[in-house]
Amino acid sequence: MSDKPVENGHAMASQEQNITQGQSSSGKESFSLLSYGGGHSHIGAVYFLNGRGDVLIQRLYRDGIDPNIAASFRAVVLNAVRASTRSGRMDVQAAPVRVIGSNAVLYYRAADVYLLAITKSNSNCMMILQFLAGLVDLIRSYCKGQFSEDVVKGNFVLIYELLDDVLDHGYPQLTDPAIAKSFIYQKGWATEKTKRRRAAEAQSSTLQVTGAVGWRKDGLKFKKNEVYLDIVENISGLLSPQGATLRADVQGRLVMKSFLTGMPEIKIGLNDRIDDVTFHPCVNLGRYNAEKVVSFIPPDGEFELAKYRVTEGIELPFKATALLTEQGRTRMDVTVKVRSSFDAKLQSMNNVILIPVPPQTARAQFQLSAGKAKYDPKRGALVWKIKKFSGMTEHTLAANIELISTAKEKAAWSRPPLSLNFQIPMHNVWEKNGYKVDKWVRKSCKSTGDYQIRL
């Protein structure tokens, strides 16, 4: 099987047959020459493949096409593209025309779908590639502007009908959506993501034009107007053995519960360090982009107002150091110091510190300044639990570990990082100094299981 890229505008040599413009060799009227530049160019088969190379749709127009051409394309082209991407080379992806066996394969990628046009004739490559791009645009016009693997799977009948009309015995015809919709009336199926996006756009348009609010009923009345806001942050971080911060990341959520009469507008100011923020549809995005003010008419009850991410200006609430000293082949001493750096008035709840130990650990004896500890063989770690950890304090664990002695020489221990799990009510790790929060705003900071200190 040969695998040769073709870089010129034709798949093979110069054309051998001349056809009068607008007429096929049989005298039948053809739009392909008017639309795609003329020439004796026909397509023997069209395939739709997903990113893994699985066939989604295939349509054969001529005999003699290799039935295994899709598998050959996956083995020869897709695997080579993946290998070149991993190695940083992009030359394999530069040739959209390949000769595989006796077939010329022209491929066009749109989103996560590959469109293949197979020909055995002396064909105009640029015309065929232009046709494939036009075919994608035509499908998008029927499917609310979307084209993906899910869209292809959900519109089999429509796409087969389009292929029957835009290719006449393999000769490309017009792919203009305005013309196609004049005789193909079927509507495309839209994905759930597209439906949600269009619904959000419709709500936004309705609000701008009429002032109507689709997420809140008219005439709501309460004896007492109340608003509660929860700021929930999940923090992950990585510290060096010396306590230096190597990585820190916060994923946050603003959860609001409102019981308000009428149609009140609420305004909230956000810290300018926030990245990648996404809002509930009730938020006026135009005002936020212009003034950085979150302005909205809230839904009734509890809802998620926003999600955000913070990567800068993070003050990690805990720092820890660990010293592991081997005493021969059968003993090891471990000393861990954990210090809190948040406000002394606050307390971290349900704190769990996991200290990895060698797999041949038999038992451990502890001396603790707070909490309780045990050796957990299933986790392969010392588990140190402190129910309440006050701010600006330090606690120490000292453990004497007994190791099982083996005759054969043991493999080097990889020393996995120490990890912390905690939850700190009324604390934010990225807040500006001096910032005061009213009592009806509740905050919570907790680790996500990815708060680690290297040993």
Side-chain angles (χ1 to χ4, degrees):
M1 180 181 294
S2 61
D3 174 26
K4 299 169 289 187
V6 179
E7 298 179 355
N8 59 5
H10 294 72
M12 299 178 191
S14 61
Q15 298 182 8
E16 299 174 355
Q17 302 181 29
N18 296 321
I19 303 177
T20 303
Q21 188 175 34
Q23 297 288 328
S24 68
S25 57
S26 60
K28 181 180 178 181
E29 184 178 3
S30 171
F31 292 100
S32 61
L33 306 182
L34 295 174
S35 304
Y36 295 101
H40 183 64
S41 298
H42 64 259
I43 297 172
V46 172
Y47 288 84
F48 286 65
L49 308 182
N50 63 15
R52 299 183 300 276
D54 301 326
V55 177
L56 303 175
I57 286 179
Q58 66 176 15
R59 185 71 169 85
L60 300 178
Y61 297 95
R62 299 293 177 104
D63 296 330
I65 301 298
D66 183 359
N68 298 318
I69 192 67
S72 300
F73 176 81
R74 178 172 60 246
V76 173
V77 178
L78 293 187
N79 291 345
V81 168
R82 295 189 191 100
S84 67
T85 302
R86 287 193 296 267
S87 62
R89 294 170 49 245
M90 303 301 292
D91 55 316
V92 176
Q93 301 184 62
V97 184
R98 314 287 288 190
V99 176
I100 301 178
S102 61
N103 301 280
V105 180
L106 299 91
Y107 65 95
Y108 178 84
R109 180 174 181 178
D112 54 350
V113 177
Y114 286 88
L115 280 75
L116 274 60
I118 316 299
T119 181
K120 298 174 71 68
S121 70
N122 176 33
S123 299
N124 186 326
C125 292
M126 294 306 299
M127 186 211 74
I128 294 177
L129 290 173
Q130 183 183 356
F131 166 76
L132 293 178
L135 178 59
V136 171
D137 292 339
L138 178 61
I139 296 173
R140 283 196 175 113
S141 71
Y142 277 89
C143 300
K144 313 298 183 183
Q146 300 296 309
F147 185 84
S148 64
E149 179 180 352
D150 290 336
V151 170
V152 172
K153 289 179 178 179
N155 292 277
F156 280 128
V157 175
L158 171 64
I159 293 175
Y160 273 115
E161 187 173 354
L162 291 175
L163 288 174
D164 287 339
D165 282 284
V166 300
L167 281 170
D168 183 10
H169 195 53
Y171 288 101
Q173 309 298 301
L174 287 174
T175 57
D176 188 339
I179 297 176
K181 288 183 177 180
S182 66
F183 52 85
I184 299 179
Y185 303 104
Q186 183 174 338
K187 294 183 178 180
W189 169 85
T191 63
E192 289 299 323
K193 181 179 179 181
T194 302
K195 292 178 181 178
R196 290 194 297 269
R197 177 177 61 81
R198 292 178 66 84
E201 291 174 352
Q203 279 187 342
S204 178
S205 300
T206 302
L207 178 61
Q208 293 175 6
V209 175
T210 67
V213 178
W215 53 84
R216 184 179 178 87
K217 296 179 181 179
D218 291 329
L220 291 175
K221 293 183 179 180
F222 297 92
K223 292 183 179 180
K224 184 178 181 181
N225 293 322
E226 297 176 302
V227 174
Y228 302 92
L229 179 64
D230 288 343
I231 305 174
V232 183
E233 294 185 339
N234 294 325
I235 181 171
S236 61
L238 179 63
L239 286 77
S240 71
Q242 293 75 32
T245 301
L246 304 177
R247 172 179 56 81
D249 182 86
V250 171
Q251 303 283 344
R253 297 167 58 236
L254 300 181
V255 181
M256 177 169 282
K257 184 181 290 187
S258 66
F259 304 100
L260 301 172
T261 299
M263 289 285 184
E265 183 180 9
I266 298 178
K267 299 176 184 177
I268 297 177
L270 293 183
N271 194 305
D272 55 9
R273 298 176 185 173
I274 289 180
D275 302 318
D276 299 336
V277 61
T278 58
F279 292 107
H280 187 276
C282 68
V283 174
N284 187 332
L285 295 181
R287 184 168 185 179
Y288 175 77
N289 292 330
E291 305 175 15
K292 295 302 179 184
V293 173
V294 182
S295 174
F296 58 99
I297 298 175
D300 186 45
E302 184 173 330
F303 66 100
E304 185 176 82
L305 176 63
K307 290 182 179 179
Y308 61 87
R309 184 172 66 93
V310 180
T311 57
E312 297 180 358
I314 298 174
E315 296 181 5
L316 295 180
F318 286 100
K319 293 192 175 181
T321 57
L323 178 63
L324 283 70
T325 306
E326 294 188 15
Q327 306 289 348
R329 296 173 60 89
T330 60
R331 307 195 74 81
M332 173 182 286
D333 292 334
V334 176
T335 302
V336 176
K337 293 183 179 180
V338 180
R339 180 172 180 80
S340 58
S341 56
F342 50 89
D343 193 329
K345 297 179 181 179
L346 302 179
Q347 287 186 327
S348 176
M349 312 299 293
N350 302 321
N351 306 276
V352 179
I353 302 109
L354 298 179
I355 307 155
V357 292
Q360 66 270 27
T361 298
R363 61 182 61 87
Q365 295 179 343
F366 301 96
Q367 291 183 350
L368 308 170
S369 62
K372 56 184 180 179
K374 68 175 183 178
Y375 167 59
D376 187 343
K378 292 183 178 180
R379 298 188 186 182
L382 307 180
V383 181
W384 182 15
K385 295 183 179 181
I386 303 176
K387 188 174 183 180
K388 296 181 180 180
F389 201 129
S390 300
M392 305 306 294
T393 59
E394 181 178 280
H395 290 301
T396 304
L397 174 146
N400 183 268
I401 298 174
E402 182 179 337
L403 306 175
I404 300 173
S405 179
T406 58
K408 60 181 180 180
E409 187 174 348
K410 61 183 180 181
W413 181 44
S414 60
R415 293 201 175 200
L418 176 151
S419 64
L420 282 78
N421 288 281
F422 54 84
Q423 182 172 356
I424 311 174
M426 299 307 295
H427 178 66
N428 282 105
V429 295
W430 55 273
E431 222 169 45
K432 293 181 178 178
N433 291 332
Y435 182 81
K436 294 183 179 180
V437 180
D438 294 325
K439 61 183 179 181
W440 54 84
V441 177
R442 183 173 58 184
K443 301 180 292 181
S444 176
C445 172
K446 61 182 180 180
S447 67
T448 60
D450 191 25
Y451 194 101
Q452 301 177 334
I453 297 93
R454 289 178 176 172
L455 300 178

